[in-house]
Amino acid sequence: MQIFVSGLSYRRDPGAADRQYDIPSLAADEIMNWMEELRALVGATGVVDQAQDMAPYLTDWRGRFTGRAAAVVQPATTLQTSQVVQLCASRGVPVVVQGGNTGLVGGATPDATGQALVLCTRRLNRVRRIDTANDTMTVEAGCLLQHVQEAALAQHRLFPLSLASQGSCTIGGNLATNAGGTQVLRYGNARELTLGLEVVLASGAVWDGLRGLRKDNSGYDLKQLFIGSEGTLGVITAATVKLFALPRTRLVCLLALPDLTMAIGLLQRARDAAGPALTAFELMSGLCVRLVGRTLGQQRPPFALEFPWLVLLEWSDHEDEASASRQCESLCAAAIEAGEALDAVISRSLSDCAALWQLRESIPEAQARTGGNVKHDISLPLGSMDRFVTETEQALHALCPELQVLVFGHLGDGNLHFNVGTREGSPVSMAFQREEQINDIVYAGVGRYGGSISAEHGLGQLRRTLAQRVKQPLELEMMRGIKRALDPQGLLNPGKVI
Ligand SMILES: Cc1cc2nc3c(=O)[nH]c(=O)nc-3n(C[C@H](O)[C@H](O)[C@H](O)COP(=O)(O)OP(=O)(O)OC[C@H]3O[C@@H](n4cnc5c(N)ncnc54)[C@H](O)[C@@H]3O)c2cc1C
């Protein structure tokens, strides 16, 4: 294995989009010394430097990006993390932070130079404190999201961040990507759930910002810089997050819709009827649901007919179940009466809720089984959703009639996953070969309607160049200024975001 580390000089041109390295290769004894230094800091089990053991850390979840690294290091404490980052800073070694490696934009995958250290947070996995009086919990960055939810539940509290990847993604990764998920409508995204952070800065210094305050106007809100920064400004080692009361009642409705315009009317109706009880409002095209049935077998829509669109709506509140059911039934009846919905089912048990959610959450896996597709994670003003989808689909079919659009997403947040594959029987390569043209069509529509090229997945390396094309020059300049201030050597996650 060839490792490039010590004596490395890093040339940074603050204005340039791409970075260049001038990296001398190391002699074998220097490599040994470097690995020994890392082992001395984090213990023998905390350093992975054999090619076959490093492999899972070097390819992203979708298998779209593969990089190389000098080693993967897994600190178990904030102090160890700080010492590792300090060592890297002193030697000019880039650091790529990785949590659960479930990100969808290649943000946690190192580049091909093999010079970076992958800093994996999964051993930073303690729940430090649950403060029921303050309704907060302090957890380390490598805790799996599901474990954070379970720890809150054990104290009869709710931590509402909820993603299909929650069994594998980490809370640090969630914060670094400002993850959204299925309950944003009611509780907000990761940013809104966070009160404090502990961060190892690019120099190795530890910023203890673990405050559990709901009001703090004592200067710039520094934690906001790190939330959504995708490992480019600091290593999040712990966070203090908000907890909530557990709802008494949870109902899930699945409604079949004749067209997408009706979904917007239905959303307004549901907001008025449910108020804060409206917890999720998820859109799925009939194609997505049929794909789940076809590829994963067990999941079928609970309707006799096949409909063009479906909406999954979650209602959770503090009223008793009978009252919530009554309100939910009258919402569905009114929607059917108004022609917004054609049919509806309402869960009668928690296992019904889980089964209906599984239908929605199986869509990414079903798509992966068919060979994947060209993905877009966009947000748009709600009023333009329908026109965007129709016009963009038409333009894509004009490009290639075999293309097929699979649309699903968090409609209540204006967020669509707008994925372009091919019709059954046509190879998906037909879509990937046209990726650039497809992207041009989709993002032209996003621009026309004032949307965003990344609603919740971030930029990583997948959308970095695109962001430089579509963001305002002044925004990019401010971002570069922040990057320079917090990471003057440009060692944190180079080649990502900015
Ligand atoms: C099936 C599936 C469903 C998904 N659904 C959603 C969804 O509904 N909503 C959504 O928003 N995302 C979703 N995602 C994307 C992904 O799960 C989230 O982005 C998640 O927050 C990433 O967490 P992670 O621990 O896996 O981070 P990683 O993939 O390891 O890293 C992601 C980015 O964060 C940085 N990073 C990780 N940990 C830290 C840290 N401690 N400090 C600083 N930087 C760090 C990395 O450098 C990288 O840039 C989904 C992914 C899958 C596979």
Side-chain angles (χ1 to χ4, degrees), residues 61 96-109 121-122 124 141-142 162-166 168-182 226 229-232 234-237 360-361 364-365 377 410 415 417 456-457 460 493 496-497:
W61 187 82
V96 178
V97 193
Q98 190 176 102
N101 199 16
T102 67
L104 299 175
V105 290
T109 310
T121 60
R122 279 177 248 170
L124 286 165
S162 177
L163 320 178
S165 54
Q166 61 201 26
S168 313
C169 64
T170 63
I171 188 75
N174 301 148
L175 295 174
T177 57
N178 186 25
T182 53
F226 299 99
S229 68
E230 301 182 54
T232 61
V235 184
I236 298 169
T237 47
R360 159 66 182 85
E361 294 190 332
E365 192 190 336
D377 161 44
H410 316 293
N415 176 191
H417 300 310
E456 59 177 10
H457 296 160
N493 218 357
K496 317 288 168 54
V497 182

Side-chain angles (χ1 to χ4, degrees), residues 15 32 60 63 65 119 170 180 208 219 233 303 306 324 326 345 373 386 388 395 431-432 473 497:
M32 292 285 287
D60 73 313
F65 298 98
L119 192 157
T170 63
D208 179 358
L233 298 181
F303 299 116
E306 294 186 333
R326 262 195 317 277
V345 290
N373 43 35
D386 186 22
F388 167 83
F432 284 111
V497 182

